[in-house]
Amino acid sequence: MEPEDLEELYAIENDRSIWNVGSTNVPYSRYVLHEYIANATNDIYADKQLRLIIDVNGEHVAGIVDLFNYNPRHSRAEVGVVVKVSFRNRGIATKALEELHRYAADVLGIFQLYAVVAQSNKHTQKLFGKLGYESTATLKQWLSSYDGYQDAILLQKKIKK
């Protein structure tokens, strides 16, 4: 992330329509996000997470792809992706995740990635399924939403042999 990504990050993080698919349920101030960008080391070993901006042709921020909950002992990390509405249905999430897989396996040496996806989020389940993630468990009443709790699907993919 670069300082000039602040406004895009602010818009994405404060988009209430996607709060139900992540762990955020409060808005972030520009100051907090500015400090996050300024202080992030971009070192997954230090931060236990890596947040990357999805850039289209060096001109437009299309979204964010994340590795988080990194566990070096077990060589795994959780993965998340958000693509802005105006950039959806163009294969951008697929390309971003494929690049993330290569980087995580070849550079970081991560063995396995996983995602926790709401059972009702069929679009994201299809995306991860297309990339070789397998559904390995149902997590009962795992995610809190406006309507109460909902089940989630644990999706896993070995990225390093």
Side-chain angles (χ1 to χ4, degrees):
M1 292 182 300
E2 301 288 344
E4 54 269 16
D5 295 324
L6 175 61
E7 289 304 316
E8 295 288 352
L9 185 61
Y10 179 81
I12 292 168
E13 290 290 357
N14 290 300
D15 180 352
R16 289 182 63 170
S17 70
I18 60 174
W19 284 0
N20 64 326
V21 298
S23 59
T24 299
N25 65 355
V26 295
Y28 287 99
S29 70
R30 282 180 180 81
Y31 176 78
V32 166
L33 294 173
H34 175 272
E35 292 299 300
Y36 171 74
I37 292 170
N39 294 313
T41 66
N42 293 321
D43 179 353
I44 195 167
Y45 305 108
D47 298 339
K48 303 295 185 242
Q49 69 174 11
L50 178 66
R51 174 165 274 189
L52 301 168
I53 298 295
I54 302 171
D55 184 86
V56 177
N57 301 325
E59 298 176 15
H60 304 286
V61 173
I64 301 169
V65 64
D66 293 295
L67 291 176
F68 56 102
N69 292 331
Y70 172 62
N71 185 313
R73 173 156 168 33
H74 298 294
S75 191
R76 67 176 173 243
E78 190 168 351
V79 62
V81 61
V82 174
V83 175
K84 292 167 39 179
V85 173
S86 59
F87 287 94
R88 290 183 187 162
N89 300 313
R90 298 185 196 180
I92 291 171
T94 300
K95 289 177 187 172
L97 287 168
E98 287 170 343
E99 283 296 317
L100 184 70
H101 293 164
R102 279 191 285 279
Y103 180 76
D106 298 344
V107 177
L108 301 175
I110 292 176
F111 173 71
Q112 181 176 178
L113 295 176
Y114 67 96
V116 176
V117 179
Q119 191 169 38
S120 61
N121 190 343
K122 301 300 182 193
H123 183 78
T124 300
Q125 288 176 45
K126 183 177 175 182
L127 167 67
F128 281 101
K130 180 172 66 173
L131 291 166
Y133 285 74
E134 296 179 46
S135 174
T136 58
T138 299
L139 305 169
K140 297 294 186 182
Q141 297 181 324
W142 195 257
L143 301 172
S144 175
S145 69
Y146 302 116
D147 302 340
Y149 287 89
Q150 61 178 309
D151 294 350
I153 306 298
L154 176 64
L155 303 165
Q156 295 176 261
K157 177 183 174 83
K158 293 179 196 168
I159 58 168
K160 189 169 178 85
K161 296 187 171 53

